[in-house]
């Protein structure tokens, strides 16, 4: 009987150790997930701060950031040129009121409601 008691104690002890290790692994995983979530939040907020700073200072870039501001401006200009090229390929027109891209045969702007036929007839 003594053998079975010792065996039972050994099994109980091993099960307890496994339970503690499993809890430790689970707790660690939860903390790592929370840490990753907070790191992602920080990145998002830094981007938001940068975007707001850029918007507030784009007309008078600080000297130490002028090159970065210029790169953003050049990228924005190229993006707009690409959008125009795509519109041309697709045969789209641009609403003169809000800048939305529309099918060439659109009578009204789907974004702002401007009647396009009147505007295009005035231009001719």
């Amino acid at each position: 009987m003594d053998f079975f008691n010792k065996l039972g104690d050994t099994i109980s002890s091993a099960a307890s150790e496994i339970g503690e290790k499993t809890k430790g692994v689970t707790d660690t995983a939860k903390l790592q997930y929370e840490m990753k979530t907070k790191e992602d939040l920080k990145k998002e907020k830094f981007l938001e701060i940068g975007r707001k700073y850029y918007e507030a200072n784009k007309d008078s870039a600080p000297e130490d950031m002028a090159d970065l501001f210029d790169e953003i401006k050049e990228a924005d200009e190229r993006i707009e040129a690409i959008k125009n090229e795509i519109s041309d390929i697709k045969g789209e027109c641009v609403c003169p009121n809000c800048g939305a891209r529309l099918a060439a045969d659109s009578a009204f702007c789907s974004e702002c409601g401007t009647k396009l036929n009147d505007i295009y007839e005035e231009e001719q």
Side-chain angles (χ1 to χ4, degrees):
M1 239 3 186
D2 195 34
F3 169 76
F4 289 113
N5 287 337
K6 287 183 182 179
L7 181 60
D9 290 343
T10 303
I11 292 171
S12 293
S13 175
S16 178
E17 285 180 35
I18 290 172
E20 288 176 24
K21 287 182 180 179
T22 301
K23 184 180 180 321
V25 168
T26 302
D27 290 346
T28 300
K30 286 179 183 177
L31 290 171
Q32 287 174 334
Y33 176 75
E34 182 181 359
M35 182 173 61
K36 175 73 170 114
T37 301
K38 294 301 179 189
E39 288 172 345
D40 289 346
L41 177 69
K42 277 180 55 180
K43 287 179 188 177
E44 181 183 316
K45 295 305 173 186
F46 278 130
L47 286 172
E48 187 177 340
I49 289 168
R51 218 176 281 113
K52 286 181 178 183
Y53 183 83
Y54 172 78
E55 288 299 321
N57 295 287
K58 67 183 175 184
D59 294 328
S60 58
E63 191 174 314
D64 60 334
M65 294 187 184
D67 291 343
L68 297 172
F69 277 58
D70 288 343
E71 288 178 34
I72 292 171
K73 183 178 178 185
E74 289 171 12
D76 283 343
E77 289 170 353
R78 181 60 186 143
I79 289 168
E80 192 58 34
I82 291 169
K83 285 179 182 179
N84 289 335
E85 287 179 42
I86 292 171
S87 288
D88 289 345
I89 291 169
K90 289 181 173 182
E92 295 176 332
C93 63
V94 176
C95 173
N97 187 47
C98 72
R101 297 174 192 295
L102 311 162
D105 59 351
S106 297
F108 293 91
C109 175
S110 58
E111 296 296 318
C112 70
T114 299
K115 187 172 180 182
L116 301 175
N117 292 342
D118 291 346
I119 293 172
Y120 294 129
E121 288 172 7
E122 289 174 12
E123 290 177 0
Q124 294 175 357

